[in-house]
Amino acid sequence: MVERHEPTSREKILEVAEALFARSGFAGVGLRELADRSGLGKSSLFHHFRSKGHLYLEVLRTVLERIQERLAPVIRSQSGPAEKLPAWVEALIDALAEHPNSARLLLRALFEDDDFPEDLEPQAQEVEGIVMSILGTYQAIVQQGIDLEIFQPVSVTDATQTMIGATVYHFASGEIGEAVTGGPIFAAAAIQRRRREVVHFLIGGLTADPTH
Amino acid sequence: MVERHEPTSREKILEVAEALFARSGFAGVGLRELADRSGLGKSSLFHHFRSKGHLYLEVLRTVLERIQERLAPVIRSQSGPAEKLPAWVEALIDALAEHPNSARLLLRALFEDDDFPEDLEPQAQEVEGIVMSILGTYQAIVQQGIDLEIFQPVSVTDATQTMIGATVYHFASGEIGEAVTGGPIFAAAAIQRRRREVVHFLIGGLTADPTH
DNA sequence: GTCTATAGTGAGATAGAC
DNA sequence: GTCTATCTCACTATAGAC
């Protein structure tokens, strides 16, 4: 059972900030809009967060940790790569689908080389560390599958980049993604289909004979 | 032979703006930095472009048209889907690799639902139209392959989303991408390998028996 | 913990001389 | 076609009352 409670101001700010940063990126968000939508004055934000940068990195960390939690049981499981890889990908997709802001924020964390002031280098490196740690668990599964000759000897790093693109981009793709797919991205049926298709593609790529 | 000439101010601005918008997005770029790097005063920018938004959309259009030109001969060719699809993907990758800013700008155009003032709605819609037109040519190839029973009856729209992720994300992924792959992304050898791996994955996904 | 007031900076954009 | 000067506005952040 989930405990219900009125969100604290801090929680409310983080919730609103997550949506705004996902939509517009770090530079595209003004603290005025954030304050208004949080039901607070602009200055009150600084009681909860030292700066806009600190807030942004805290939002990123929260999103990444949510994803990590989803993946943890899969990583802990003792099954072989043939079962573990689909389970990993499906868990990631579920995590991205559960919270529509996650994919966009994750995508921004992945491809935007933000240059933060040095007083929050520690937070920035923590975020990058979580990203690399998550990706490391995927690479380990692919590598294990290759070692066991269950998968073809593909480039592990390219397989990882392809997996990121296939999962994260799709759920970040917004209006254009919906124009391409011809329907909502976050509807339950669409998520189900995407899970099937991505797993099919990735397994197909990992197992197809290179001499087609 | 390419004609060499000193770039006009307009060309110089577009060139600098392309790099800056790719790095920091629309909101993250200031006209002062753009002017300085172009060797002009801030006000001079407004002689060439009506507003920052007009400039941004012109940059996007230029990048997209460059990609379109690369794809045109492939689309015109009369070969079947089994040859045309790899050729299409390789042409896209070549286009993205040729100009390191292209992938990031294209990615931004794809997933950022920018909300521009209405006086440049026409330009925004033109950009979106080019994107959809490009994607349409890929979907047509996939659909044709399915109709000819060369490809498995996968979801065409999901195949398209996966292709975008596998191509565009990789070349947009910057520092983290280089950390994942363990080397430069735009080195000739890395590009070659990426071409091979992506084509292998996509063909694998399109031809693998769904009952693995 | 929230507010008003404001500092201090830089943004995008315009006017008009040259 | 480029410049200086300037306008107006929004921004992040701080000070200090309540």
Side-chain angles (χ1 to χ4, degrees):
Chain A
M1 194 59 187
V2 178
E3 186 167 345
R4 294 252 155 255
H5 58 90
E6 283 297 294
T8 64
S9 288
R10 196 191 145 82
E11 286 165 348
K12 183 68 187 170
I13 294 167
L14 282 168
E15 179 192 319
V16 174
E18 185 184 307
L20 292 183
F21 284 134
R23 188 198 64 190
S24 308
F26 178 72
V29 175
L31 295 187
R32 170 135 83 149
E33 182 180 6
L34 173 57
D36 288 349
R37 297 208 191 204
S38 306
L40 290 171
K42 236 187 349 170
S43 310
S44 305
L45 302 178
F46 290 90
H47 176 77
H48 299 280
F49 301 95
R50 254 183 297 183
S51 74
K52 186 187 175 186
H54 283 87
L55 171 58
Y56 181 64
L57 289 173
E58 182 136 344
V59 167
L60 281 189
R61 194 172 52 75
T62 306
V63 168
L64 291 172
E65 284 175 350
R66 239 163 35 201
I67 293 170
Q68 246 179 343
E69 277 175 37
R70 281 276 198 169
L71 292 172
V74 176
I75 296 162
R76 274 197 303 270
S77 83
Q78 296 294 328
S79 49
E83 297 85 39
K84 207 166 182 173
L85 189 131
W88 195 102
V89 172
E90 288 176 2
L92 175 60
I93 289 179
D94 286 347
L96 298 178
E98 185 186 32
H99 229 108
N101 300 315
S102 296
R104 285 193 174 188
L105 285 165
L106 176 54
L107 185 58
R108 291 189 186 280
L110 283 164
F111 94 97
E112 286 178 344
D113 297 332
D114 299 292
D115 203 28
F116 291 108
E118 59 175 318
D119 67 309
L120 35 78
E121 261 308 307
Q123 281 90 324
Q125 292 214 333
E126 192 195 349
V127 163
E128 191 171 324
I130 300 177
V131 170
M132 294 308 290
S133 146
I134 291 173
L135 297 179
T137 66
Y138 185 79
Q139 294 188 301
I141 298 171
V142 175
Q143 186 62 60
Q144 203 190 347
I146 295 173
D147 292 343
L148 295 173
E149 296 185 11
I150 296 169
F151 300 150
Q152 295 290 327
V154 299
S155 154
V156 175
T157 60
D158 281 284
T160 304
Q161 290 283 86
T162 302
M163 178 278 296
I164 298 170
T167 52
V168 182
Y169 167 72
H170 172 75
F171 287 102
S173 65
E175 283 179 19
I176 295 219
E178 304 208 327
V180 168
T181 60
I185 286 177
F186 287 99
I191 297 166
Q192 283 274 90
R193 192 194 60 207
R194 186 68 192 161
R195 277 169 44 141
R196 271 203 328 272
E197 296 286 334
V198 169
V199 168
H200 171 78
F201 253 87
L202 294 181
I203 293 288
L206 287 167
T207 57
D209 189 336
T211 61
H212 28 252
Chain B
M1 194 61 187
V2 178
E3 185 167 345
R4 292 254 156 254
H5 57 91
E6 283 297 295
T8 64
S9 289
R10 196 191 144 82
E11 286 164 347
K12 184 68 188 170
I13 294 168
L14 282 168
E15 179 191 320
V16 174
E18 185 184 307
L20 292 183
F21 284 134
R23 188 197 65 188
S24 309
F26 178 71
V29 174
L31 296 188
R32 169 136 81 151
E33 181 180 7
L34 173 57
D36 288 348
R37 297 205 192 207
S38 306
L40 290 170
K42 227 182 11 160
S43 308
S44 304
L45 302 178
F46 291 89
H47 176 78
H48 299 281
F49 302 94
R50 254 183 297 181
S51 73
K52 186 186 174 187
H54 283 88
L55 171 57
Y56 182 64
L57 288 173
E58 183 135 346
V59 167
L60 281 190
R61 195 173 51 77
T62 307
V63 168
L64 291 171
E65 283 174 352
R66 240 165 33 202
I67 293 170
Q68 245 179 343
E69 276 175 37
R70 281 276 199 168
L71 292 172
V74 175
I75 296 162
R76 273 196 303 271
S77 83
Q78 297 294 328
S79 49
E83 297 84 40
K84 207 166 185 174
L85 189 131
W88 194 102
V89 172
E90 287 174 3
L92 175 60
I93 289 179
D94 286 347
L96 298 178
E98 184 185 34
H99 228 110
N101 301 316
S102 296
R104 286 192 173 190
L105 285 164
L106 176 53
L107 185 58
R108 292 189 186 280
L110 282 164
F111 93 97
E112 285 178 346
D113 297 331
D114 299 291
D115 202 28
F116 291 108
E118 61 175 314
D119 67 308
L120 35 77
E121 261 308 306
Q123 282 90 325
Q125 292 214 331
E126 191 194 350
V127 163
E128 190 172 326
I130 301 176
V131 170
M132 294 307 292
S133 146
I134 291 173
L135 297 179
T137 66
Y138 184 77
Q139 294 187 301
I141 299 171
V142 174
Q143 185 63 59
Q144 203 190 347
I146 294 172
D147 292 344
L148 295 174
E149 296 185 9
I150 296 169
F151 300 149
Q152 295 289 327
V154 299
S155 154
V156 175
T157 59
D158 280 284
T160 305
Q161 290 282 85
T162 302
M163 178 279 296
I164 299 171
T167 52
V168 182
Y169 167 72
H170 173 75
F171 287 102
S173 64
E175 283 180 19
I176 294 222
E178 304 208 328
V180 168
T181 60
I185 286 176
F186 289 99
I191 296 165
Q192 282 276 90
R193 192 194 60 207
R194 186 68 192 161
R195 276 169 45 143
R196 271 205 326 273
E197 296 286 334
V198 169
V199 168
H200 170 77
F201 253 86
L202 294 181
I203 293 289
L206 287 167
T207 56
D209 188 337
T211 61
H212 25 255

